Amino acid sequence: MTTKRALITGITGQDGSYLAEFLLEQGYEVIGMIRRSSTVNFERIHHIQERLTLVSGDLLDQASMIDLLNEHRPNEVYNLAAQSFVQTSWSQPVFTGEVTALGVTRLLDAVRLVDPGIRFYQASSSEMFGKVREIPQNEETSFYPRSPYGVAKVYGHWITVNYRESYNLFAVSGIVFNHESPRRGHEFVTRKIARAAARIKLGLERQLPLGNLDAQRDWGYAPDYVRGMWLMLQQDAAEDYVLATGRTHTVGRFAELAFETVGLDYRDYIVQDPRFMRPADVDLLVGDPSKARQKLGWEAKTSFEELVRLMVEAELALNQGLAR
């Protein structure tokens, strides 16, 4: 039996690292695309790095995409690379558009030119719903993005649909709601809260500045979600799917549970800081994963409470040695 080969862009990120682990477990040969940069961080994939083939490429450069596909001939491509932080998209809107929107087109066009038989996964986002038109949000809900990041993701989503319908590519989008883990970037609010709770408990910090505590999100555990991405590319027909828990919680509730994990009251340590308020915020995102459950047999297995506990305990372990 021929070994399947998958290319993952964004392999050094949270989702890329978990997807690489999952695909290796399925017997895949995994190729990871990384940008030539002095700041590339291999921390998330260090434990599996020897089992990966890491190659240089850039979503800003279509020629590098074509060369990469020609050389490695993957059966599946997972496009997880993006400028993925909403707050940064306000200060770098053009760069966000170049990578998160046009980068998808460059990669899809490279697939079309090199091998239209490649199966392609695009990481779409619940941020595309933005100012939501209905609750909960499903595959048919209209988009109303509220940030340059959300706008760029809408472009990436629709260009994937267009290439599927125009060139008969097996190209799908996973409309993925918030999914977290101990590997989440430090700039994301969940990691920021988990880290602060641990460090305050250990006497390393005194308070935590946050923005909108009332924003509600549908939070799941990242390793559960990468399996859903893979399942989309194993189907007979190319379709888009929402991946979500179907339940929502506020930022304040996340903070409450995180501080409870270390025996503290979050109200004693959190201060609201205008610097972390978005110019246009998204108040309520909650997904309807019915289609994924029915057609893929997929569901989020890790509870919200378990997710928060996992993240805080990981931060305690990371910071324990720093405490005096």
Side-chain angles (χ1 to χ4, degrees):
M1 182 177 173
T2 306
T3 301
K4 273 191 173 182
R5 187 177 297 132
L7 168 68
I8 303 172
T9 72
I11 195 168
T12 59
Q14 170 188 259
D15 290 6
S17 66
Y18 283 121
L19 179 61
E21 283 179 350
F22 177 81
L23 292 177
L24 288 170
E25 289 169 5
Q26 308 308 310
Y28 278 66
E29 179 184 338
V30 178
I31 301 143
M33 190 189 87
I34 56 173
R35 294 180 66 196
R36 277 204 177 92
S37 167
S38 59
T39 59
V40 174
N41 184 349
F42 295 100
E43 179 185 350
R44 295 184 182 94
I45 58 169
H46 179 72
H47 61 296
I48 56 171
Q49 196 167 335
E50 291 185 356
R51 301 170 64 193
L52 305 172
T53 301
L54 299 179
V55 295
S56 294
D58 197 323
L59 290 179
L60 300 179
D61 177 26
Q62 187 171 355
S64 70
M65 303 286 97
I66 292 171
D67 290 346
L68 200 159
L69 294 179
N70 263 321
E71 181 177 353
H72 295 280
R73 295 287 173 166
N75 307 101
E76 300 171 359
V77 170
Y78 296 85
N79 184 36
L80 308 184
Q83 189 303 98
S84 59
F85 188 43
V86 174
Q87 193 74 29
T88 299
S89 77
W90 288 105
S91 58
Q92 299 181 27
V94 175
F95 176 70
T96 299
E98 282 286 350
V99 177
T100 307
L102 292 178
V104 185
T105 314
R106 296 184 187 103
L107 186 49
L108 276 167
D109 213 47
V111 168
R112 178 183 68 85
L113 292 169
V114 174
D115 180 4
I118 291 172
R119 294 194 165 203
F120 179 88
Y121 172 85
Q122 165 60 14
S124 286
S125 167
S126 58
E127 289 286 333
M128 301 188 304
F129 295 119
K131 190 175 181 179
V132 297
R133 308 284 85 188
E134 63 179 339
I135 299 170
Q137 296 91 52
N138 61 36
E139 293 81 4
E140 304 303 321
T141 302
S142 59
F143 301 134
Y144 196 140
R146 297 272 282 170
S147 66
Y149 169 77
V151 171
K153 279 294 187 181
V154 169
Y155 178 99
H157 180 87
W158 280 116
I159 201 68
T160 301
V161 172
N162 272 256
Y163 268 68
R164 177 169 75 220
E165 295 179 349
S166 301
Y167 300 115
N168 199 32
L169 298 184
F170 195 105
V172 305
S173 286
I175 306 173
V176 184
F177 281 66
N178 294 66
H179 48 292
E180 318 297 318
S181 76
R183 298 182 193 173
R184 197 52 145 153
H186 286 282
E187 68 271 27
F188 289 86
V189 68
T190 51
R191 180 75 187 274
K192 191 183 295 185
I193 292 170
R195 184 170 186 266
R199 287 175 65 83
I200 289 170
K201 178 65 175 179
L202 295 169
L204 298 169
E205 290 180 16
R206 293 185 178 181
Q207 63 180 27
L208 170 61
L210 288 178
N212 182 8
L213 296 179
D214 296 322
Q216 299 178 65
R217 293 292 183 273
D218 183 328
W219 275 304
Y221 184 43
D224 291 344
Y225 286 60
V226 298
R227 179 174 174 271
M229 299 172 189
W230 172 75
L231 283 169
M232 290 181 209
L233 294 193
Q234 312 314 309
Q235 304 306 302
D236 293 332
E239 297 181 54
D240 303 326
Y241 293 86
V242 162
L243 298 182
T245 70
R247 295 176 293 277
T248 187
H249 305 274
T250 65
V251 173
R253 178 59 177 159
F254 193 105
E256 182 181 9
L257 286 173
F259 278 81
E260 278 181 4
T261 302
V262 293
L264 299 175
D265 187 333
Y266 79 111
R267 292 169 295 188
D268 295 334
Y269 303 98
I270 288 179
V271 292
Q272 282 203 288
D273 190 329
R275 291 177 302 163
F276 299 111
M277 304 295 280
R278 299 179 187 175
D281 210 346
V282 175
D283 296 319
L284 174 61
L285 291 173
V286 56
D288 177 2
S290 300
K291 181 180 176 183
R293 185 167 55 247
Q294 292 162 7
K295 290 196 168 186
L296 303 178
W298 178 89
E299 63 181 352
K301 296 179 179 178
T302 307
S303 72
F304 177 68
E305 293 76 13
E306 178 73 0
L307 165 65
V308 178
R309 186 186 63 77
L310 282 168
M311 293 184 69
V312 174
E313 289 181 350
E315 292 298 332
L316 284 169
L318 276 174
N319 288 277
Q320 196 82 47
L322 302 175
R324 293 173 183 171

